[in-house]
Amino acid sequence: MKQIIRTDAAPASPLFSQAVRAGSMLYLSGITGVDARTGLVAGATIEEQTRQALANCAAILGAAGSTLADVVEVQVLLARPEDFAGLNREYARTFASDPPARSVARLGVEIPGLLVSIRMTACTRLGDTAAPFEAVAGPSVAR
């Protein structure tokens, strides 16, 4: 069963859900650096837009009762590959230690002024207040 997650604290569109929960997994759509209060792109630089996109993602996660600490995978789409270093500088402030898995690709469509789109997948424990997940060692695989 799926649950649609919505919040006014992040940009929305009638074309997609901000996030969808399926069981303990939470899937965020590609979220841009648009300020939900003004409807405008947060700035002209990759750092400003990345910061806002990550804040928007955090707001959506919060609406689902989750946090950035629950994120297991991030996919970043960049409009300009030359913005990779600036993206990394801002991203590292949010995920300073134990970052989630990540991929970066080029944004396929050109939207004037938009430099970045960030989608996330989080693993949550609905109603579970126990200790955080612990890694379980599996069998070694030799190749």
Side-chain angles (χ1 to χ4, degrees):
M1 184 152 140
K2 72 179 184 180
Q3 175 189 11
I4 304 301
I5 307 299
R6 295 182 182 95
T7 178
D8 292 336
S13 169
L15 301 176
F16 57 85
S17 298
Q18 291 169 317
V20 175
R21 180 192 307 277
S24 64
M25 300 303 295
L26 184 61
Y27 303 92
L28 276 68
S29 293
I31 305 300
T32 62
V34 171
D35 185 324
R37 292 170 296 158
T38 66
L40 301 174
V41 175
T45 69
I46 188 64
E47 290 87 356
E48 291 168 308
Q49 289 191 32
T50 299
R51 186 178 315 116
Q52 184 65 54
L54 290 167
N56 291 340
C57 288
I60 296 166
L61 288 164
S66 195
T67 70
L68 288 164
D70 298 317
V71 175
V72 295
E73 185 266 340
V74 175
Q75 181 183 30
V76 179
L77 298 176
L78 282 176
R80 303 182 312 213
E82 61 269 21
D83 283 336
F84 187 69
L87 161 76
N88 280 339
R89 281 190 298 276
E90 198 58 45
Y91 184 90
R93 290 185 177 133
T94 298
F95 295 108
S97 64
D98 299 324
R102 183 183 88 167
S103 62
V104 179
R106 185 169 184 159
L107 188 60
V109 296
E110 288 190 33
I111 302 171
L114 259 168
L115 302 178
V116 66
S117 175
I118 300 175
R119 65 165 297 283
M120 295 181 174
T121 303
C123 185
T124 64
R125 294 159 295 160
L126 296 173
D128 182 7
T129 58
F133 291 116
E134 293 185 25
V136 177
S140 298
V141 178
R143 295 201 183 239

